Amino acid sequence: MTDTSASDRPVQGPVLHDEMPEFEAAWATPPGWRILSSVSHRVVGQRFIVTGLVFFLIAGFLALLVRTQLIVPNNTFLDAETYNQVFTMHGTLMMFLFAIPILEGFAVYLLPLMLGARDLIFPRMGAFGYWCYLFGGIIVLSSFLFDAAPDGGWFMYTPLSTSQYTPGLSADFWLIGITFAEIASVTAAVEIIAAVLCTRAPGMSLTRMPIFAWYMLVTAFMIAIGFPPLIIGSILLEIERVAGLPFFDVTAGGDPLLWQHLFWLFGHPEVYIIFLPAAGMVATMLPTFVGKPLFGYGFAVAAVVTMGFISFGLWAHHMFATGLPTISLTLFSAASTMVAIPTGVQIFSFIFTLAQGRPRLTVPMLFILGFLFIFVIGGLTGVMLASVPFNWQAHDSYFVVAHLHYVLIGGMVFPLVGAFYYWSPHFTGRMMSERLGRWAFWLMFTGFHITFFLMHLTGLRGMPRRVATYPEGLGWDRLNLLSTLGSYILAAGVLVFVWDFLRHRMSGPLAPRDPWGAGTLEWLYPPIAPGHNFHAIPRVHSREPLWDQPELLREHAHLAEGVLRGASHGMRETVGCHPVTGEPLQIVRLPKPTWVPLWAAATIAVAAVATLASAYVIAGAALVAMLVCFALWAWEPSQTGETVDTGPEGVLPVNVADRLGHTHIATIGTLLVLAALYGSLLFSVLYLWNVHPDFTTIAGLADPLWAAVAGGLALVLIASSKVAAHKGPRLGLDVPVLLSAVATGAGLFVAMLQIDPRDTAVAATLWVMAGFVGVMLFVMAFWSLFLAVRKLFGQVAPHHRVPDLNRGSFGLATGVMVLIAVVVLLAPHIEGLS
Amino acid sequence: MIHKNGLPSDKLLPVLRDILRPALIWAAHFVLVYAALSAACAQRGLIDPFWASLLVLVVTPPAALWAIVGARRRGRSDFERAARWSSIISALAILFNAAPVVLMGGCG
């Protein structure tokens, strides 16, 4: 055995060049600059984490500029315009480019290790998501270079963000860049759903799954449903800015509150999307330092699942001051109060875990305690703000700023820093400093409270948010001074942490195997294992396999008993499992390093930049190039039907054509995202129709005959795609699917021609709805053409049913969307008849 | 075979359904309450507020009862406990959703 690793890393993980050369070659990370083509979850996860940290530091610097401006009354450190840009970019970077991506980075890195998989299930999708995130973030940040930084707040409220009140490109940078970056979140969500459900170690049923995986599974579903409303809102607003369609224009039956509904339908669940992964980290780290399993695993699962649902019923509590009917306010107030119950269940679960033993007060543990203290205070002020009368008083005041920072910094940043200290051996093979860590904690903890606790008082004394300065003598001077000084202390704590993170990479003590005595599977190997995770995947019998199966740590990790030892035929493989029981179901073949994800993301980046520059021909060409990239991505020989001898678990088939197979589950996950996008559009149509009835009569009616024809063709589409899925890959079956998709789109287009999208907001939204369905039909047609070409070129054997199976489900969903669109278009005719 | 933290394989799916069902019922109930209020209280005034309140009043008890069904599941495994708590939390949330409509009536 040769113990070695990359030259800049500690010599630790077992690399079996002599014993298993084929395995090591299959999983090797490309050297030099070719590492950019790596799709390994370890590489991609670290990219997410490091990039997120950079955005955090930039956003933190902007926060310091804000606090410096407010240190004294009538300050002129920043002018009002710059101040608006700075606080807008602070919020935007923190919420979109730091909080969610960095947590996804941890999930991408840790989940396969915890679940007993050799990589994430769709490595190329993870890499593609990262590049979209990076390019989107660069686009948003580059607005500073063009003196066009967004200045309308991180929420981009209309009508302020429309071209009438925000001319120039600043809002476009935000809308295009953030929507682009959100592709990363959505792709990561689909990937995490499929990975958690389909690639767990043998024996790891849902009840034995690490609690972090439960948190991430629920979070991924929340992202899949929560992000689409904002994506739709951003698309509508960008179309209004570029093409003048009146979605938010009150003179044409539009409504600025529609933007707020769409934004907060995303924005409030997002708070929980940020909180839950961090709470999952706490639930993972805490038992390690207490030395006991998490108290009330079942309570925590119930709380996480119910919180995932209930958090979608709170969005309008950000709109209490917008004039919604009082009865609606009370509904959202009730739901906002109710969410405290599952949150409280989780907190008590943590507290009872603490009470089970004598916790070791390590640095991660300090940050966990800091999280509990701060987040509980933030939760309590959250319950206060859920009360409508109090909310009206505190609305848009510094009390709200204090509350949200208690929830987000307490609920996310503190656990995150604790997580860095806990899992850093995985990234560097070394331990971060306990001494510097304690300095970082106490500086951050003290600075945080000085900064934000006082803001409660500033807010209660009436200071509004988002003001560039304030006159003296209103009782805000001293509080602002102290808050600013506190922010400097907080920043010093962050700098100590960052310094420790950079420093320990070179000089931290080497981390031993399982340095904290944890029970979860990611610590089975010594830190810095080579590019792969498991030479053989062990069968697990409990949630803490390293505690309950001592044989796993008794000898070298690479000698542990398990399935799939080695790499047959030099391919990357992992075990695919039954989503519920965790029993092995199939072998999943994973891709090797490839440049395609980078090229695909780059084409979208070109399209985004070209749109910003109004170079629409280039944007169109880039989108065509994107389709070529996706075709190259999917152009690979099908391996369904092959088998692999896994050892203890016997012979398993490769990439099974089954509804429980990983690609089908990913298809369902993707359809969930698409359904949420479509649902957001339907909500928009119904909202405008309901709120501005006078304008719906002007909107014009779709041609009923052609709409009915489109509906009939949609039924043909559903039937043909289902027949193709059932009968298996035959070239003749692709043709009806292709033709019915094209014909349905044509029918729908003709039906829409009688509606002028420039007339009213409802008409414009109906066109976007039809356009969305058109894109779905285009995907069906492109997919069918692609499959047909593959069959022509002999890439598909008769038993390779997976693509047809997946297209069958996609076709069903597309057909149903067409039928819903037809009902919406025909409804006014039926209403007129009645 | 039952291992630590586990349930027999054949019991996993029914218990998982018992965890998810109450939350899904809550979601459906919330959408219905929101839709009823929107239909009654927006400018179009599709239905009278009285009918909206009545609708909420009628659907809430069966929804809460259906959600709480999982709470009668016995067993001491973590998953069964999760099913019980998911039922309790969701049933409470359903009652919370309906309370304002029932207590206040009208559009406020």
Side-chain angles (χ1 to χ4, degrees), chain A residues 208 299 543 689 691 696, chain B residues 3 5 38 43-44 78 85:
Chain A
R208 289 193 208 114
F299 293 113
R543 254 171 244 144
W689 175 80
V691 172
T696 51
Chain B
H3 296 292
N5 317 129
S38 301
Q43 214 166 347
R44 183 173 284 272
D78 286 327
W85 277 87

Side-chain angles (χ1 to χ4, degrees), chain A residues 712-722 737 740-741 744 777 780 811 814-815:
Chain A
L713 288 167
L715 293 174
V716 176
L717 174 69
I718 292 172
S720 57
S721 53
K722 278 292 172 191
V737 183
S740 58
T744 308
L777 290 165
M780 276 301 288
T814 305

Side-chain angles (χ1 to χ4, degrees), chain A residues 563-724:
Chain A
V563 300
L564 213 61
R565 182 171 293 284
S568 60
H569 319 298
M571 292 187 180
R572 294 186 171 195
E573 295 169 331
T574 193
V575 175
C577 70
H578 186 282
V580 178
T581 65
E583 291 305 319
L585 189 72
Q586 60 169 335
I587 296 301
V588 177
R589 290 258 165 89
L590 300 167
K592 290 191 171 179
T594 166
W595 293 98
V596 174
L598 174 55
W599 297 138
T603 56
I604 304 177
V606 171
V609 173
T611 306
L612 272 171
S614 303
Y616 300 115
V617 176
I618 296 175
L623 290 177
V624 172
M626 177 195 75
L627 287 177
V628 173
C629 287
F630 285 140
L632 286 173
W633 185 322
W635 189 271
E636 57 188 22
S638 173
Q639 292 160 344
T640 309
E642 294 179 25
T643 56
V644 173
D645 184 358
T646 66
E649 300 292 335
V651 176
L652 287 175
V654 173
N655 295 352
V656 291
D658 190 282
R659 291 183 184 286
L660 297 179
H662 61 294
T663 58
H664 192 259
I665 285 185
T667 305
I668 300 299
T670 307
L671 288 174
L672 191 65
V673 176
L674 295 168
L677 287 167
Y678 193 55
S680 304
L681 279 170
L682 288 175
F683 173 84
S684 304
V685 171
L686 286 172
Y687 178 83
L688 294 171
W689 175 80
N690 197 30
V691 172
H692 295 293
D694 297 343
F695 287 87
T696 51
T697 50
I698 314 169
L701 298 175
D703 186 318
L705 183 63
W706 279 104
V709 168
L713 288 167
L715 293 174
V716 176
L717 174 69
I718 292 172
S720 57
S721 53
K722 278 292 172 191
V723 167

Side-chain angles (χ1 to χ4, degrees), chain A residues 259-625:
Chain A
W259 169 264
Q260 290 204 27
H261 278 293
L262 292 172
F263 184 86
W264 291 116
L265 265 167
F266 145 83
H268 201 82
E270 197 211 14
V271 174
Y272 295 89
I273 288 168
I274 291 171
F275 165 70
L276 284 178
M281 290 170 166
V282 170
T284 306
M285 293 186 283
L286 188 55
T288 300
F289 297 114
V290 176
K292 305 272 185 188
L294 180 71
F295 178 90
Y297 179 91
F299 293 113
V301 170
V304 176
V305 170
T306 50
M307 190 186 237
F309 279 87
I310 294 174
S311 64
F312 279 91
L314 320 181
W315 80 88
H317 80 210
H318 295 269
M319 301 165 64
F320 278 170
T322 59
L324 295 177
T326 309
I327 192 77
S328 295
L329 302 187
T330 52
L331 170 67
F332 286 101
S333 174
S336 305
T337 311
M338 184 61 214
V339 82
I341 292 184
T343 313
V345 168
Q346 286 176 74
I347 298 297
F348 276 113
S349 178
F350 299 154
I351 291 171
F352 283 126
T353 305
L354 269 174
Q356 288 185 104
R358 282 176 65 89
R360 287 180 279 155
L361 277 182
T362 57
V363 171
M365 190 66 211
L366 283 177
F367 278 98
I368 291 171
L369 293 175
F371 150 79
L372 282 171
F373 186 80
I374 297 171
F375 183 75
V376 167
I377 294 175
L380 292 175
T381 53
V383 175
M384 292 166 73
L385 285 167
S387 162
V388 177
F390 181 82
N391 190 297
W392 279 344
Q393 292 302 313
H395 182 78
D396 259 350
S397 76
Y398 263 84
F399 188 91
V400 179
V401 180
H403 159 70
L404 74 91
H405 282 92
Y406 264 78
V407 171
L408 291 174
I409 296 185
M412 185 266 177
V413 175
F414 271 71
L416 183 77
V417 178
F420 266 103
Y421 275 89
Y422 184 76
W423 278 295
S424 63
H426 267 286
F427 310 135
T428 61
R430 298 178 185 274
M431 306 292 286
M432 290 175 72
S433 162
E434 279 286 310
R435 189 171 58 87
L436 288 174
R438 285 171 197 279
W439 271 101
F441 171 77
W442 285 111
L443 284 169
M444 287 177 68
F445 188 78
T446 311
F448 172 84
H449 284 291
I450 294 173
T451 308
F452 294 107
F453 186 80
L454 298 180
M455 281 188 194
H456 291 109
L457 306 178
T458 320
L460 291 175
R461 286 189 159 201
M463 180 163 172
R465 307 167 69 176
R466 308 181 194 111
V467 288
T469 188
Y470 51 92
E472 60 185 323
L474 294 178
W476 306 340
D477 309 10
R478 193 172 302 170
L479 291 170
N480 272 302
L481 172 68
L482 290 170
S483 279
T484 301
L485 295 178
S487 71
Y488 296 156
I489 298 171
L490 174 59
V494 172
L495 283 181
V496 171
F497 153 66
V498 172
W499 164 245
D500 191 18
F501 186 68
L502 296 174
R503 179 208 60 84
H504 95 287
R505 185 180 160 82
M506 305 305 293
S507 57
L510 288 180
R513 188 181 181 190
D514 195 8
W516 307 106
T520 38
L521 212 50
E522 79 271 23
W523 297 106
L524 173 62
Y525 274 68
I528 301 292
H532 54 81
N533 299 336
F534 301 94
H535 288 98
I537 300 169
R539 175 168 274 276
V540 299
H541 302 295
S542 81
R543 254 171 244 144
E544 293 87 16
L546 299 192
W547 287 353
D548 297 326
Q549 295 170 243
E551 72 276 9
L552 290 175
L553 288 176
R554 202 173 291 144
E555 47 191 351
H556 288 298
H558 66 281
L559 297 176
E561 283 297 314
V563 300
L564 213 61
R565 182 171 293 284
S568 60
H569 319 298
M571 292 187 180
R572 294 186 171 195
E573 295 169 331
T574 193
V575 175
C577 70
H578 186 282
V580 178
T581 65
E583 291 305 319
L585 189 72
Q586 60 169 335
I587 296 301
V588 177
R589 290 258 165 89
L590 300 167
K592 290 191 171 179
T594 166
W595 293 98
V596 174
L598 174 55
W599 297 138
T603 56
I604 304 177
V606 171
V609 173
T611 306
L612 272 171
S614 303
Y616 300 115
V617 176
I618 296 175
L623 290 177
V624 172

Side-chain angles (χ1 to χ4, degrees), chain A residues 34 48 62 117 123 141 164 200-201 203 294 321 436 518-519 618 756 762:
Chain A
R34 284 196 294 125
F48 266 110
L62 296 175
L141 212 53
Q164 186 181 355
R200 304 196 300 272
L294 180 71
L436 288 174
I618 296 175
D756 185 345
V762 169

Side-chain angles (χ1 to χ4, degrees), chain A residues 49-68:
Chain A
I49 291 168
V50 171
T51 311
L53 198 56
V54 170
F55 280 122
F56 171 66
L57 295 177
I58 296 170
F61 173 72
L62 296 175
L64 289 181
L65 294 182
V66 167
R67 283 314 321 167
T68 302

